[in-house]
Amino acid sequence: MFESLRKKLKIFKESVSTEESELNSATIEASEDKTTPSDEAPEEASYETTTQKVVDVEAIGHASEYGEQVPQRIEPSNGNVSTQDKSIFERKIKGKDLEDSLWDLEIALLESDVAVSVTEEIVETVKEELVGTKRKWRQDVGTLVEKALRDGILKVLDVSGLDFDEFIKNTPKPVTIVFTGINGTGKTTTIAKLAYRLKNQGYSVVLAAGDTYRAGALEQIERHAEKLGVKLVKHQQGADPAAVIYDAVQYARAKHNDVVLADTAGRIHTNVNLMNQLRKIERVIDADLVVFVDEALAGNDAVERALQFNTAMAIDASILTKVDADSKGGTAISIAHATSKPILFLGIGQNYEDMVKFDPQWLMNRLFDEADA
Ligand SMILES: Nc1nc2c(ncn2[C@@H]2O[C@H](COP(=O)(O)OP(=O)(O)O)[C@@H](O)[C@H]2O)c(=O)[nH]1
Ligand SMILES: [Mg+2]
């Protein structure tokens, strides 16, 4: 899960660190060549070197007051300043030093299924944060770069959060949730996983067999309902899905059930009739939540589809499935950013318990924590 993106981010971190440390040792060499200390910076325009000739007690006191680092210098007895004295190097990270690494980062993100516009935004944030940063001699560049990357990714993931459990708890019952998306992405499986989760939390769940289109869809959801021991409201194949979902909501109301999970037929977003069917569901059913389901493997196609579906029936959140089979990891970042809606869960397998709650911090840990490799 996310291995490829994780590796690529690591490579970026290391490449900036290497470049920076090479530049830094060049600075040190340049300074060691000098025979007399000077207040002036070395020849190279890209370095800012602070060389203090003499540090008197007053200066130390003054600098310390402001928390600045004070060079430790011992004045030789003859009054000359020793050439071996250490200077403090404060190097500003320059845009041109990062050019190659940022370009590699851009390619790495694109290769990891992060959409073009999202990639550009991340790279821009990383650049803004790093360029101009004053880095002290020997300060770990990797830490600075990782922070910039985390900030860049978190910024694009910064969509209004929605805690699913809190939402279910606080919404008047029955809570009605409609699932949309194209064929085979895992809608029905996700509904079953959610029913399992909600049931374990003590809620009563009703499933609505809203996929009246695909042969075999009814049997599939019936099997899940039986296995899970939850009520299924169904009509004949070919029936109006809006009517099926409406009935399920009426049933849940009458029986004081907590949650209605409504399946719909997987549809290609270019199929006008099926998309109109979604518009009808939106008119007839006052859903509390519309969840777009797609698979992580779809990469940028998923982003495009999410936007198309959103025009037929406004999406409140997304769920990404088959994350267990996707090593790239960029779809989650792109889809959240493109729709400006949160990702609720990630599907990580075919069993009922194979679903994890998504939160940006969780993703960050996946991408950056060494222990998780
Ligand atoms: N590996 C994996 N397979 C999944 C996941 N979610 C669903 N699937 C599989 O994807 C296939 C299609 O799922 P289904 O729920 O029928 O898709 P639907 O057409 O959108 O309703 C099934 O074989 C599921 O077992 C997941 O998170 N990981
Ligand atoms: Mg289905």
Side-chain angles (χ1 to χ4, degrees):
M1 236 187 294
F2 303 114
E3 296 89 15
S4 156
L5 181 54
R6 175 200 182 91
K7 269 189 210 136
K8 286 175 169 156
L9 294 178
K10 200 169 170 208
I11 290 170
F12 172 69
K13 213 171 112 174
E14 285 166 359
S15 82
V16 178
S17 301
T18 312
E19 268 178 38
E20 279 291 311
S21 69
E22 278 166 7
L23 287 166
N24 218 42
S25 48
T27 315
I28 294 159
E29 274 164 27
S31 92
E32 279 171 353
D33 283 348
K34 287 187 295 178
T35 48
T36 47
S38 152
D39 278 330
E40 285 178 19
E43 296 278 299
E44 290 96 329
S46 58
Y47 302 112
E48 279 193 359
T49 309
T50 319
T51 311
Q52 280 163 303
K53 276 182 185 163
V54 182
V55 178
D56 58 29
V57 178
E58 217 182 309
I60 292 174
H62 185 73
S64 302
E65 256 174 53
Y66 295 94
E68 288 165 20
Q69 222 177 314
V70 176
Q72 296 301 304
R73 300 190 65 124
I74 301 151
E75 187 139 358
S77 53
N78 62 5
N80 293 332
V81 177
S82 162
T83 53
Q84 286 160 13
D85 293 343
K86 288 198 180 95
S87 303
I88 290 177
F89 294 100
E90 263 196 347
R91 216 185 83 70
K92 256 191 195 171
I93 298 178
K94 302 274 175 183
K96 69 174 168 46
D97 303 341
L98 292 177
E99 256 169 28
D100 289 349
S101 299
L102 285 173
W103 173 248
D104 290 344
L105 174 66
E106 193 165 334
I107 300 294
L109 290 170
L110 291 171
E111 280 175 359
S112 303
D113 275 347
V114 180
V116 179
S117 62
V118 184
T119 293
E120 282 169 0
E121 219 173 302
I122 294 173
V123 171
E124 202 44 46
T125 308
V126 169
K127 190 174 162 189
E128 268 170 26
E129 193 163 321
L130 285 180
V131 172
T133 301
K134 277 193 182 165
R135 189 168 72 73
K136 295 239 164 63
W137 183 41
R138 284 201 179 147
Q139 187 177 3
D140 180 29
V141 187
T143 312
L144 288 178
V145 175
E146 181 175 319
K147 185 179 173 299
L149 271 174
R150 278 179 185 259
D151 289 352
I153 297 172
L154 278 174
K155 194 173 150 202
V156 298
L157 276 176
D158 185 26
V159 291
S160 59
L162 174 70
D163 185 287
F164 184 77
D165 296 320
E166 287 297 307
F167 181 82
I168 297 290
K169 198 167 116 192
N170 299 327
T171 306
K173 311 293 180 296
V175 185
T176 306
I177 309 176
V178 175
F179 295 81
T180 67
I182 75 156
N183 259 333
T185 52
K187 280 181 304 303
T188 308
T189 309
T190 299
I191 287 169
K193 286 176 180 177
L194 278 172
Y196 173 80
R197 182 188 163 92
L198 290 164
K199 216 185 147 213
N200 284 344
Q201 291 173 338
Y203 294 109
S204 49
V205 179
V206 177
L207 303 185
D211 182 355
T212 57
Y213 185 73
R214 185 176 66 87
L218 200 54
E219 290 71 27
Q220 186 193 5
I221 201 164
E222 249 168 359
R223 269 201 311 278
H224 283 304
E226 255 169 50
K227 253 188 174 167
L228 292 162
V230 298
K231 169 74 183 173
L232 174 75
V233 172
K234 58 178 185 178
H235 288 190
Q236 314 279 47
Q237 197 188 335
D240 179 357
V244 180
I245 300 170
Y246 184 84
D247 279 358
V249 176
Q250 292 304 105
Y251 177 92
R253 268 206 192 113
K255 301 281 179 184
H256 302 290
N257 289 148
D258 299 315
V259 186
V260 177
L261 301 175
D263 203 0
T264 60
R267 58 205 73 219
I268 296 291
H269 51 276
T270 47
N271 183 323
V272 177
N273 284 342
L274 285 174
M275 290 308 263
N276 282 338
Q277 209 177 54
L278 279 187
R279 290 191 175 92
K280 182 169 179 197
I281 295 173
E282 188 172 44
R283 278 201 310 277
V284 175
I285 310 296
D286 186 19
D288 296 296
L289 205 61
V290 176
V291 177
F292 173 74
V293 179
D294 214 322
E295 49 191 42
L297 296 162
N300 283 311
D301 287 348
V303 176
E304 187 53 35
R305 298 198 288 242
L307 295 174
Q308 295 283 345
F309 271 82
N310 193 43
T311 63
M313 191 177 191
I315 296 170
D316 298 305
S318 304
I319 291 181
L320 274 187
T321 62
K322 308 185 191 179
V323 175
D324 50 309
D326 170 56
S327 67
K328 293 184 170 179
T331 312
I333 299 171
S334 303
I335 220 164
H337 185 65
T339 58
S340 303
K341 301 291 175 191
I343 296 172
L344 299 177
F345 294 97
L346 300 178
I348 53 166
Q350 308 205 35
N351 299 316
Y352 289 151
E353 60 274 13
D354 292 337
M355 193 172 66
V356 290
K357 231 172 153 174
F358 177 85
D359 89 277
Q361 218 51 58
W362 178 89
L363 178 64
M364 289 301 122
N365 293 344
R366 285 267 154 191
L367 293 178
F368 294 106
D369 285 1
E370 296 291 331
D372 226 12

